Amino acid sequence: MCGLAGFILNGNSPSDNLDFINNKMIETIVHRGPDDLGTWSNSDQGIGLSHCRLSILDLTEAGHQPMHSTSGRFVLVFNGEIYNHLEIRQKLQSINSALSWRGRSDTETFLSSIEVLGLEETLKMAVGMFAFALWDNTSQKIILARDRFGEKPLYYGFSKKNFIFGSELKALKAFPGFDNGICRKALTKFIKLNYVPAPMSIYQNIFKLEPGMLLQLDSKMLGQEKPKIIKYWSYEEKAKKSLNNPYQSKEEAFDSIALSLDSAIKSQMISDVPLGDFLSGGVDSSLVVANMQQNSMSKIKTYTIGFDNKDYDESEHAQKVSEHIGTEHFTLHVSAHDALEIIPSLPEIYDEPFADSSQIPTYFVCKSAKQSVTVALSGDAGDELFGGYNRYIWGPKVWNAAKFLPPSLRNLAAQSLQAFSPKILNTGLSFLNISRPGDKIHKLSQALTETNSMNDFYSNLVSEWNTFEPLIKNDSDNNFNFEDKFLDGLDGLSSAEQMMLIDAQTYLPDDILCKVDRASMAMSLETRAPFLDYRLAESAWRVPHAMKIKGNDSKWILRELLYKHVPRHLIERPKTGFSIPLGEWLRGPLRDWAEELIDLRRLENDGYFYPEPIRNAWSQHLAKTNDHSAKLWSVLMFQSWLDLSN
């Protein structure tokens, strides 16, 4: 895993300080690759490329970047891993037996494939996670690309007509003279979703390259033409194609998914450095760990996080799963004091406002793993591919029951459900096999308010500030209507399938994968997600929906595969997610920190928020009449980020 940065100067910018700019940009993200640093520039073209390397495959100088192709035509900076690079090498060798290799790195394989077979064919063959910048000396074009699911980040944009790009925003901000203002529309989206959705970034004229996208820019046309963006792989198209070719039997589905997962895990266990796995004790991570251990001659190292609050603590479950599988297990207990110590660093780690509060345990589990390994596998994406989130089960049921009611009655029913606090409901409904049912009832009821379609309902389910009261100042999108027609054009899919398809293209890359990338890279730890092998993802859509969600059981096919390795009683329990007792912490040890950030006078002076809704939510939260921790966290993370960016 690595970091990259680069620029192309417009004709009016001086080109005699390219090395200075290169170093200034890459030094901001050296945590992504502390093992090696490299730069390259061409003063005639005003271009600079820089790279910092975390050595995983081929630890020698042969893996140094920027890397030049044998002919000298291409210069590449690459972040990620190509898991099937040895297969690609064999194919290249069969085409040209005279090919010689400098080393064993997947970057060299990737670059040689581009030169021999072309970029399009190379992208088709590549199985892995990546973001890269490729300079073509012949055409004088820069090409940026990002992997199919967006595991690796890549920002790009313009500052004073100069084209700049990098793995993290801090590299772009280091470009001399960067003064791009905050994008109010992006801020509005962030407050709703707890992350800034691609292609936007928090800054004006700076963007995220979306998953499966390729960008081309002719340096000779800089300032005259916009970058050309091409979608080289479409998740939606692949999913629909797979749906039209379903598995014909339960046995065929089981065998295919088991084989695909086994193949993905084996390929991702290839490493020249120590390797481990995150283990929560849930279905996805347990299945990955069980498979890894089956394919390993030694004990796999596994890591989990624990909390004092038993409602959020899954460490005991993870420990039992570890004991059954036979891994070498490590548990790190995180307290509110630990969280308070890391919170000031979160804006620096996450680079732009980011408010999924599981960023805190994610950081700590990465910190724990880095003590003994350099690569860690995870169970990420199992939920999006196999129907793991509660909203896939309860969302359609609630909407189908409520959609025939007049809007006034729907709103009344929603308000009635909210008459009791989540805490009271959690206690009263404790007999249900559901984790924190009161919180979920409140979320569902809030989502029903002012809802006229399944699209509205889904948009509300994935949003926090579901209010029509203005919150962001000076933004035309301030009415909080979700203008993105998430579920349009997806006819023929069930509501749950539509939500899964959209989540995999939005929530997964912009929240889950972003969270893990920033936390792991802050620790110089590489993470890998076997479920995101695109061949497994395509196979998942061939599995009939009834084998994913069966009654109230999510990820049914994965559970059945797991029970061949782990007893059912170790797994069957309510899904909690990787969450923390944030509500309690904000009323306790984090209260003074939060109060300072959302002080009435400060909010007014900063000029981004209307203070009243925030102060009202804070008062209700402190009084324990509502748990507003998720929506307050988004404001707190922005305010904390603003402190750092000013």
Side-chain angles (χ1 to χ4, degrees):
M1 209 62 62
C2 308
L4 64 89
F7 58 87
I8 301 178
L9 302 179
N10 68 56
N12 299 321
S13 298
S15 58
D16 57 354
N17 61 345
L18 303 188
D19 290 341
F20 169 79
I21 300 174
N22 261 333
N23 286 314
K24 187 175 175 62
M25 294 179 74
I26 199 63
E27 285 172 0
T28 63
I29 56 172
V30 73
H31 54 275
R32 298 186 68 91
D35 298 330
D36 191 21
L37 197 68
T39 64
W40 171 84
S41 61
N42 183 321
S43 58
D44 292 336
Q45 305 301 329
I47 181 173
L49 297 176
S50 53
H51 185 267
C52 55
R53 184 182 180 207
L54 178 63
S55 301
I56 303 295
L57 294 175
D58 190 348
L59 311 185
T60 72
E61 282 293 317
H64 179 78
Q65 299 184 48
M67 187 175 289
H68 298 254
S69 64
T70 304
S71 69
R73 176 179 175 180
F74 298 108
V75 187
L76 175 70
V77 283
F78 181 91
N79 169 29
E81 298 288 347
I82 305 297
Y83 303 125
N84 65 333
H85 86 98
L86 293 177
E87 299 170 24
I88 296 174
R89 279 202 178 199
Q90 291 177 353
K91 180 172 183 176
L92 298 177
Q93 206 77 50
S94 68
I95 295 172
N96 181 1
S97 59
L99 273 178
S100 61
W101 303 96
R102 288 167 287 188
R104 298 182 296 106
S105 76
D106 56 336
T107 301
E108 184 183 3
T109 306
F110 190 78
L111 184 54
S112 295
S113 181
I114 292 172
E115 191 152 59
V116 173
L117 299 174
L119 180 59
E120 182 179 354
E121 184 63 24
T122 299
L123 287 171
K124 284 181 181 178
M125 289 193 302
V127 178
M129 54 179 179
F130 53 81
F132 65 83
L134 179 73
W135 171 252
D136 185 339
N137 278 305
T138 301
S139 66
Q140 296 182 21
K141 289 182 179 179
I142 189 75
I143 300 169
L144 309 181
R146 196 173 176 204
D147 64 67
R148 295 171 178 86
F149 285 96
E151 288 188 73
K152 295 295 100 187
L154 190 53
Y155 291 86
Y156 71 93
F158 293 89
S159 176
K160 295 183 170 62
K161 299 184 179 180
N162 301 292
F163 184 67
I164 55 178
F165 53 91
S167 297
E168 297 183 19
L169 275 178
K170 55 177 68 72
L172 281 68
K173 288 174 63 179
F175 184 81
F178 182 93
D179 62 355
N180 298 43
I182 290 174
C183 174
R184 300 274 176 158
K185 186 172 183 178
L187 175 56
T188 298
K189 294 293 187 183
F190 164 72
I191 290 298
K192 286 182 67 66
L193 300 171
N194 286 342
Y195 60 85
V196 177
M200 290 186 289
S201 86
I202 194 62
Y203 289 113
Q204 298 169 3
N205 296 319
I206 302 295
F207 308 94
K208 301 182 182 80
L209 189 62
E210 295 181 84
M213 295 289 195
L214 181 150
L215 177 151
Q216 295 179 347
L217 178 64
D218 189 332
S219 64
K220 301 185 296 296
M221 304 302 292
L222 186 64
Q224 301 175 48
E225 292 183 357
K226 291 183 178 180
K228 183 180 181 181
I229 298 179
I230 302 165
K231 195 172 188 67
Y232 71 84
W233 188 83
S234 170
Y235 179 69
E236 188 171 320
E237 288 179 7
K238 297 297 183 181
K240 289 181 177 179
K241 184 177 179 180
S242 294
L243 279 168
N244 292 327
N245 183 31
Y247 292 119
Q248 296 303 304
S249 67
K250 171 183 172 182
E251 291 73 22
E252 184 185 12
F254 268 73
D255 290 345
S256 179
I257 295 302
L259 185 63
S260 296
L261 183 60
D262 182 69
S263 175
I265 291 172
K266 283 180 179 177
S267 70
Q268 295 192 23
M269 289 178 69
I270 298 174
S271 173
D272 292 338
V273 294
L275 176 143
D277 193 284
F278 300 147
L279 177 62
S280 69
V283 174
D284 307 330
S285 66
S286 298
L287 185 54
V288 172
V289 168
N291 199 303
M292 287 178 69
Q293 191 60 67
Q294 194 172 36
N295 287 295
S296 176
M297 298 297 292
S298 58
K299 283 193 171 186
I300 295 292
K301 292 180 171 64
T302 53
Y303 307 87
T304 196
I305 297 298
F307 302 101
D308 294 335
N309 187 319
K310 294 301 180 183
D311 290 339
Y312 296 83
D313 183 36
E314 293 188 299
S315 61
E316 182 179 343
H317 303 296
Q319 180 68 43
K320 290 179 180 178
V321 171
S322 166
E323 290 171 357
H324 183 85
I325 295 174
T327 72
E328 183 181 356
H329 193 63
F330 302 87
T331 300
L332 177 65
H333 285 273
V334 177
S335 67
H337 176 73
D338 296 325
L340 188 57
E341 285 193 336
I342 192 56
I343 281 172
S345 301
L346 291 178
E348 175 72 15
I349 292 170
Y350 286 90
D351 215 24
E352 71 178 332
F354 185 82
D356 180 337
S357 61
S358 64
Q359 64 199 124
I360 294 174
T362 301
Y363 169 84
F364 281 108
V365 77
C366 290
K367 182 178 181 180
S368 176
K370 183 59 181 179
Q371 303 303 311
S372 49
V373 300
T374 309
V375 176
L377 274 65
S378 76
D380 288 334
D383 288 315
E384 289 82 1
L385 293 176
F386 292 95
Y389 294 130
N390 287 311
R391 57 177 170 266
Y392 303 153
I393 299 174
W394 298 105
K397 290 182 179 181
V398 170
W399 175 247
N400 288 336
K403 65 183 179 181
F404 298 108
L405 294 174
S408 58
L409 288 180
R410 272 205 305 273
N411 291 341
L412 180 61
Q415 292 169 11
S416 299
L417 288 172
Q418 296 175 49
F420 298 96
S421 71
K423 184 176 181 180
I424 292 175
L425 291 172
N426 285 338
T427 302
L429 300 175
S430 59
F431 61 90
L432 297 174
N433 189 34
I434 300 174
S435 174
R436 301 191 297 279
D439 298 273
K440 294 176 174 60
I441 288 172
H442 266 244
K443 180 67 176 176
L444 285 168
S445 62
Q446 289 166 6
L448 278 175
T449 306
E450 304 295 339
T451 297
N452 298 307
S453 67
M454 183 63 203
N455 182 67
D456 290 342
F457 187 49
Y458 169 77
S459 299
N460 286 342
L461 281 175
V462 298
S463 304
E464 292 302 336
W465 285 91
N466 295 323
T467 172
F468 294 89
E469 184 178 9
L471 186 65
I472 310 297
K473 292 183 177 179
N474 303 319
D475 180 61
S476 59
D477 195 31
N478 216 356
N479 59 11
F480 283 90
N481 288 325
F482 224 71
E483 84 245 16
D484 308 281
K485 300 303 180 185
F486 275 158
L487 307 185
D488 285 0
L490 301 179
D491 296 337
L493 277 67
S494 68
S495 295
E497 288 173 323
Q498 293 179 52
M499 288 190 280
M500 289 165 58
L501 191 64
I502 297 304
D503 280 347
Q505 298 175 84
T506 55
Y507 177 68
L508 177 63
D510 294 334
D511 186 307
I512 301 298
L513 299 180
C514 172
K515 172 185 66 181
V516 175
D517 174 81
R518 300 307 191 278
S520 61
M521 285 290 91
M523 293 290 106
S524 302
L525 174 77
E526 175 172 305
T527 53
R528 301 174 178 178
F531 282 109
L532 288 179
D533 184 308
Y534 77 92
R535 298 164 299 185
L536 172 58
E538 291 175 9
S539 294
W541 281 96
R542 295 186 61 193
V543 176
H545 189 65
M547 291 181 64
K548 295 178 181 178
I549 297 177
K550 183 168 286 193
N552 292 335
D553 291 333
S554 63
K555 295 181 289 194
W556 182 80
I557 186 171
L558 295 187
R559 292 176 188 275
E560 294 301 309
L561 288 173
L562 177 59
Y563 297 148
K564 296 179 180 180
H565 304 279
V566 178
R568 185 182 299 265
H569 71 271
L570 292 183
I571 301 298
E572 291 295 340
R573 62 182 186 278
K575 180 180 179 66
T576 61
F578 204 33
S579 52
I580 60 174
L582 182 61
E584 294 179 11
W585 290 358
L586 286 176
R587 297 186 190 100
L590 302 184
R591 179 170 178 170
D592 291 343
W593 167 81
E595 185 65 66
E596 182 178 346
L597 288 171
I598 55 175
D599 174 76
L600 177 62
R601 184 170 298 177
R602 169 168 175 172
L603 290 172
E604 290 174 341
N605 291 339
D606 288 341
Y608 290 99
F609 299 109
Y610 292 103
E612 291 78 11
I614 296 170
R615 296 302 305 179
N616 288 340
W618 180 236
S619 296
Q620 292 173 17
H621 185 80
L622 293 179
K624 297 184 179 181
T625 56
N626 290 92
D627 184 346
H628 290 311
S629 55
K631 60 173 58 177
L632 288 167
W633 192 246
S634 64
V635 178
L636 292 166
M637 283 294 96
F638 176 78
Q639 292 293 94
S640 185
W641 174 85
L642 195 61
D643 275 349
L644 182 71
S645 62
N646 286 337

